[in-house]
Amino acid sequence: MSRIKRAIDAHHTVRGAALPARSAKREDGQQRQRAPQKKSPVQRIEPLRANRGVHADDYVQLVLADGAVKQVLKRSSSDSNVFIDWLTFTANVDGFLKMNGYKAFTDDDIAGAISALMEEFCGEGFGISKKNGFGMHFHKESYVIGDNWGVFCIGHRNNRFLVSLSGDGWLNADANATIKIYNFLSRLNEYGCDVRISRIDLAADYYQDGPSHAEFEAAYHRGEFVRQRRHIESQDSWPNYQVFGCVHTNRGVQAGITDAVGARTSDLYLRRYDKGRQLGDPNSTWVRVELEMKNKDTVIPLEVLLRPETYFCQYPWLQNLRDSTALKLETKRQRAEITVEASKKIIKQQFGKYLRVLRGLADSDEQLLEQLQADDEDAWPPRLAKIAPSIFVPFHFRHTQNVYRFDDETATSDTGYADDSGYCCSHEF
């Protein structure tokens, strides 16, 4: 019997208690004698109250929401320095307009307001940089946040908008961005926006002595990724385990190995991968452990923004991890160093012979570099674009918003407002 069916049965029945008879009288009109009640040895379990419940293994809670049973993330302690690596949330447009004082009339107006808020929350450079001209994630319109640090989407059939910040965005965001976003989402809920975190990734970095592929594989075979104790003895009920990369050759190991538990379409998906080697350093010991959570059948509370470490240990193995040394400045420094060194290696392998010969033919190194470098001073190659400074004018400074004001709301006529009634139209940026 599935977890959802057990919860629904518990909601409609009370185990250990006899159900009342349909009628107290028989067909002949005489009073029906009730059979003596026997005490059941099964412990009485309370039926699920509204938005409450307890899992059979006492691991996660259950809630009844919109007729469906959903899990609530379990809170647990973690010594790891956990940080947010991805966040996607959705909210109702009408509630946002109500909170914003109904100052927006078009999708571009709302995008301009979100652009200003993103810079206020996450720092300079997080405004909307451009409008894509196509939809994303079942929304009709989409916009780019910052230097491809996220997206803003609007035009959903349920009149909702979406904001998504990627790992690069969180790496460059201000330290107090999570607190500001939490306060903003809490206010949206007060105005009936029905805010939902649809995806959040929690991660911990290990620059030295991080969990290896062999340790991860051994932990899986010990059952340390089985979330429900009753499934320990049945390996067919264990989550899926996949390995990406070649573990049999040095070239494959130097390129990095990724271990994954779960499925990308499920609510929980755990990854352990060689982050430094993924970026291009074959000798790097930088390992990242990342937990991706979605809200398909799970309720993700807003509190995860303030205390991500308390929601990180959704698998038993995560509780046994050593303390991580995840620091944002250290992560940015190592990423920049690895990216630059990897770019030098590419140039040496592909064009090293040409450079050596051309250097001997040129009058000077400066002349050779002047002849070889690109003419566009603002162009950055894709590999180095992630460490490039963002240079653009935010959308809320470029977009012209139409705001209509009535200086005298009582000045009217039979045909509406006259030219001298106090009506004025202004263009505000």
Side-chain angles (χ1 to χ4, degrees), residues 142-394:
S142 62
Y143 304 76
V144 177
I145 296 177
D147 189 11
N148 289 317
W149 291 339
V151 294
F152 167 72
C153 302
I154 194 170
H156 194 272
R157 63 180 183 179
N158 293 333
N159 197 27
R160 299 180 67 84
F161 68 85
L162 175 146
V163 175
S164 182
L165 294 176
S166 66
D168 292 334
W170 284 106
L171 186 61
N172 292 278
D174 292 345
N176 57 351
T178 53
I179 300 177
K180 293 182 178 180
I181 292 178
Y182 170 82
N183 293 333
F184 169 67
L185 298 182
S186 299
R187 285 193 60 204
L188 285 178
N189 271 335
E190 294 176 0
Y191 284 88
C193 279
D194 186 23
V195 176
R196 305 172 190 174
I197 296 179
S198 57
R199 174 185 171 182
I200 187 169
D201 293 4
L202 306 181
D205 280 341
Y206 299 84
Y207 305 121
Q208 300 290 337
D209 300 326
S212 64
H213 158 69
E215 293 173 346
F216 192 96
E217 185 177 22
Y220 177 82
H221 290 297
R222 291 195 300 268
E224 296 186 20
F225 297 98
V226 182
R227 301 178 67 226
Q228 301 178 21
R229 295 185 296 272
R230 60 191 177 89
H231 290 160
I232 288 291
E233 302 299 330
S234 176
Q235 292 193 2
D236 290 338
S237 301
W238 290 15
N240 294 333
Y241 172 45
Q242 292 178 296
V243 179
F244 301 94
C246 182
V247 299
H248 304 291
T249 62
N250 291 332
R251 183 176 62 181
V253 173
Q254 290 177 355
I257 304 298
T258 298
D259 300 276
V261 167
R264 289 303 304 268
T265 56
S266 61
D267 282 12
L268 290 180
Y269 186 63
L270 179 66
R271 291 183 293 261
R272 184 227 66 93
Y273 59 99
D274 302 312
K275 182 66 176 179
R277 298 183 181 185
Q278 180 198 54
L279 293 175
D281 185 359
N283 300 316
S284 175
T285 59
W286 178 9
V287 174
R288 173 169 292 182
V289 178
E290 189 174 81
L291 178 66
E292 178 181 323
M293 297 183 288
K294 300 186 182 71
N295 74 333
K296 181 180 178 182
D297 296 314
T298 303
V299 177
I300 303 177
L302 295 182
E303 187 187 15
V304 70
L305 297 175
L306 300 180
R307 285 173 283 273
E309 69 282 353
T310 61
Y311 294 94
F312 183 60
C313 298
Q314 299 298 320
Y315 290 99
W317 180 75
L318 294 174
Q319 300 177 3
N320 301 325
L321 280 180
R322 294 181 294 271
D323 295 352
S324 71
T325 55
L327 300 173
K328 181 179 287 189
L329 293 178
E330 179 67 15
T331 300
K332 294 178 70 174
R333 184 187 66 81
Q334 289 207 16
R335 181 171 186 168
E337 291 180 356
I338 293 174
T339 303
V340 171
E341 292 301 321
S343 301
K344 293 179 181 178
K345 185 178 180 180
I346 292 175
I347 295 175
K348 184 176 181 179
Q349 290 178 345
Q350 297 185 5
F351 308 104
K353 295 181 180 180
Y354 287 96
L355 290 176
R356 181 174 55 82
V357 174
L358 293 176
R359 186 180 184 187
L361 300 176
D363 295 335
S364 63
D365 293 345
E366 290 77 7
Q367 181 187 23
L368 177 62
L369 290 176
E370 185 68 25
Q371 294 174 350
L372 294 180
Q373 66 183 3
D375 296 332
D376 189 355
E377 297 181 358
D378 296 331
W380 284 72
R383 180 177 288 271
L384 296 175
K386 294 183 179 181
I387 63 174
S390 58
I391 303 175
F392 64 90
V393 179

